[in-house]
Amino acid sequence: MLVAQGLSKKFGDLTVLKAVSVEFRSGEVHALMGENGAGKSTLMKLLAGLYQPDTGTITWRGQPVYWRSPMEALAQGIAMIHQELMPIPDLTVAENILLGREPTNAWGWLDQKLLQAEAVAWLKVLDCHLDPQTRMRDLTVAQTQVVEIAKALGRRADVILMDEPTAALSDHECTALFKAIRQLCQRGVAVVYTTHKMDEVFQLADRITVLRDGEWVTTQPASDFTPASLISHMVGRDLATVFPALTPASPEVVLEVQALTREPYFRKVTFQLHRGEVLGLAGLMGAGRTELVSALYGLLPATSGTITLKGQPVVLRNPADALAHGVGMVTEDRKGLGIIPGLSVQQNLTLTALHRFTQAGFILGAQEKQVSQAEVTRFKIKARGLTQPIRELSGGNQQKVLLARMLLDAPEIVILDEPTRGIDIGAKSEIYALIGQLTAVGKAVLLVSSELPEVLALSHRILVLRQGDLVIELAASAATPEKVLSNAMPL
Amino acid sequence: MKFNRDFFHRFGIIFVLGILITALSVSTESFGTLSNLTNVARQVSINGILAVGVTFVLLTAGVDLSLGSVVALSGVVCATFAHPSQYPVLVPILLGIATGGLCGCFNGLLVTRGGVAPFIVTLGMMTVARGLALIFSDGKPVANMSPTLTNLAGDVAGIPIAVLCFALVALAASVFLKNFQLGRHIYAVGGNENAARVAGISVTRVKLFAYTLCGLLTGLAGVVLAARITTGQPNAGMAYELDAIAAVVIGGTSLAGGVGTILGTILGVLLIGVINNGLDLLMVSSYYQAVIKGLIIVGAVWLDRQQARS
């Protein structure tokens, strides 16, 4: 139905896509797999008209096409849902679904009734029963995702391109999204999507295309792959995700949390964190994990309860307080709460610990540069140079810069909120190894992750949160995915 | 200068500035003369000092619309304490600068602690400062300034003191933004305020600093102006903020914050100064001057954005 033939794309001197040919069929879920920088997003953006190919052609229903803008592609029935969703937060669900083609009468008067009805109809196709009057800002990420799909459907899209739709979703929400995607395929829609989650490719995809370094590697039915063979195609070598062996934690308590509460996110949470320990926080989206660790970093201060650091009760009103007490954090929102897009790799890297390279406020440039270079080498950050703007780096490399930024300030307690979200397998393994190294030198790590295998393999102990309550503490040896999930699910 | 992105970003302005200077040198006899160039430098120095100050605020993704009024208020305060043999000459100068700093500090406090949008806060200050200038001066120009102070409008070794002021301020600001921790923090806050907070930066402190510094420089501009016109004029400085902000934006500073340099601001200030001077020399009527100036400003920024995009 939609055929890409020999598509190439260059940005400056960098070739991001080299003569890629793929065919997409109606009614199939076609997964594009590859490491960050393999060219998946670029291929999608070419198909959706966001970029124009340098060479090669796109054929749509037997006709060669050339789209100058996403609007032209959309008019022909090709819609793209971006990794970073772009809803208009203060409009309602219905207004977002029908954005740009609101039903009006001859005078331009908005027909609210028809608007609601049509929105409900499209949501129903996806088996979703959201109130169309809800404001977008009140929705969860998964719900927003579904609304975006409904919006694409409403425009009668025959091909829907989804760039990492599940990156921000919990397992539970993924299931709902997959159901919606299957509904689409039954209606003959072709779904093209990318993901970094292995298990879901095999659950969902009919066919898989693997890209590596901008080149096409293979296209085969999903059933012809095994996870191991898929990974080796992606990285070009055999690579198992290796979790580091855990060194035993020391009995010394570095952080003690007593009845910590901030309604409506979490309440009466009590636990201890030891030197050299990885404490995993598991739970569904909205269980209050992010809010809890944000309280420990002073981002969203708790309203009651106590935090004791190394025997001293402390009040953390803002991140600067937390850092001064030796608590560092890398948040889950890399773009919103992590990088300063316009600043360079070096300037981002040294932002938190800049005071270490200053004298009376003056930055010692040579020293800053030297330390940055050492960190870039240590973390294997792939960048053209220290002065490259961080926004041009891939997600995995941005994440490594943020980790380096936090660790440069030498915190005793390290909070990692979804540290591997949306990054490729190579970078993931490196971050796993890093967590192992941190505990080996006596740092304590609080790890929030929606990927269960990750939490299970990396943690000494696991705390499960459910709707703001700490429901159970599991020793790593006793924790199984089933046990964690059954405790995490609302009753 | 290296041929990096920065260079191309400024290429549009340099290009326009080059064309203007060449055209004016050819079409008028007086443009290229030393006395006229000194005159241009003198004329741009007040706008230059204001533009440098407001660069700090714009970099934090804020805005300051009160510049013109605060210039007037600072000038009036300065002139009030500058009658002959009243106080040492440093007193009125420092009081004028401090007045500006106080206004800026108020702006900063309302923006950070009060959470009011910078546009609104500084729009309010624009009216309040103008009102205060009229109250303090009883609506009349404050004359009878000590010659020690008004002599500061003169030259040192052929260079106007106002120009030296501007050059010194610009140099210090440039070094500060590039090489000081607080300078780096200004870019971080403007580039992504929430991420800056997470990185342990006190956003409040950074913004408060930017507005206060902008105020202090506005106060300085007020003193320089009062010395030049030998009076504290409550009606002085009308719409000065527009020329200053235009110069900064022409110089490549983003209104969204986080991007921009003092060098760019200086180029923007020069461009506006050359346009004003050139149109005067060509004896263009002031009605047409306004139209032409507006078109050139928008055109220069448009060219700059085209360069940045390619």
Side-chain angles (χ1 to χ4, degrees), chain B residues 102 108 246:
Chain B
L102 213 60

Side-chain angles (χ1 to χ4, degrees), chain A residues 287-428:
Chain A
R289 295 167 302 167
T290 294
E291 290 80 2
L292 175 61
V293 290
S294 297
L296 298 176
Y297 189 58
L299 254 180
L300 183 84
T303 45
S304 69
T306 57
I307 301 171
T308 312
L309 287 168
K310 288 187 165 173
Q312 295 291 319
V314 292
V315 180
L316 306 174
R317 282 157 309 182
N318 52 51
D321 276 357
L323 285 162
H325 283 104
V327 180
M329 175 166 169
V330 175
T331 69
E332 60 167 346
D333 186 358
R334 191 159 54 233
K335 206 173 163 196
L337 298 176
I339 62 166
I340 314 283
L343 291 189
S344 69
V345 169
Q346 170 177 316
Q347 290 169 330
N348 268 283
L349 205 156
T350 56
L351 194 60
T352 296
L354 198 57
H355 55 88
R356 286 183 47 198
F357 319 110
T358 57
Q359 220 154 41
F362 185 83
I363 301 169
L364 306 166
Q367 206 182 330
E368 188 197 4
K369 194 174 165 189
Q370 193 190 344
V371 171
S372 307
Q373 190 57 59
E375 294 295 310
V376 164
T377 312
R378 181 159 90 96
F379 284 88
K380 301 195 187 90
I381 294 163
K382 280 183 213 141
R384 278 203 314 274
L386 292 175
T387 55
Q388 185 179 12
I390 195 169
R391 63 164 179 269
E392 295 175 3
L393 267 54
S394 72
N397 283 305
Q398 290 181 351
Q399 186 74 345
K400 288 196 249 173
V401 173
L402 294 179
L403 283 164
R405 175 202 284 176
M406 180 215 22
L407 293 173
L408 204 52
D409 204 42
E412 289 290 301
I413 296 167
V414 172
I415 302 172
L416 302 175
D417 194 0
E418 305 284 0
T420 62
R421 171 182 291 172
I423 68 178
D424 63 65
I425 288 199
K428 267 186 193 178

